[in-house]
Amino acid sequence: MIFHPIGGSSELQCQRPVATVQEDGSFAVTTFFKSDGAPVGEYTVTIIWVHNRQLADGEDLRGGRASRNLLPNKYSSPETSDLRATVRKGTNVLTTFEL
């Protein structure tokens, strides 16, 4: 999961807040240090769910594993994702992202 600032915060020109979703659906956002959250602002959120599998004999071995996104491609790009998040000062609890 990647949070892309809407309006282009100068603080986040190189670093985007990210999170890894756990099996129970929970996540903690990291921007600069582990679980430090995201700066205040509006975000477009992109999400991918990667499935890795061992390669079969004869398949290309460049990475040793084949990966594919199990979610619709629209969620993988900030230009097409309709997922939004607002981060306010203080503690935030985001609404559930329905995919």
Side-chain angles (χ1 to χ4, degrees), residues 34-83:
K34 185 177 180 182
S35 301
D36 64 349
V40 170
E42 299 285 327
Y43 296 88
T44 297
V45 180
T46 57
I47 302 175
I48 61 170
W49 181 12
V50 178
H51 173 72
N52 292 315
R53 65 175 178 80
Q54 292 291 337
L55 294 173
D57 288 339
E59 288 187 270
D60 188 294
L61 298 175
R62 284 178 284 182
R65 292 186 173 271
S67 300
R68 68 180 180 102
N69 183 8
L70 299 176
L71 298 177
N73 285 334
K74 80 177 227 172
Y75 298 116
S76 66
S77 170
E79 287 78 27
T80 56
S81 177
D82 56 2
L83 304 174

Side-chain angles (χ1 to χ4, degrees), residues 15-26:
Q15 184 67 29
R16 301 273 192 264
V18 298
T20 300
V21 180
Q22 304 303 309
E23 285 188 28
D24 66 358
S26 65

Side-chain angles (χ1 to χ4, degrees), residues 11-12 15-19 28-39:
E11 181 180 7
L12 296 174
Q15 184 67 29
R16 301 273 192 264
V18 298
V29 178
T30 297
T31 301
F32 302 105
F33 306 101
K34 185 177 180 182
S35 301
D36 64 349

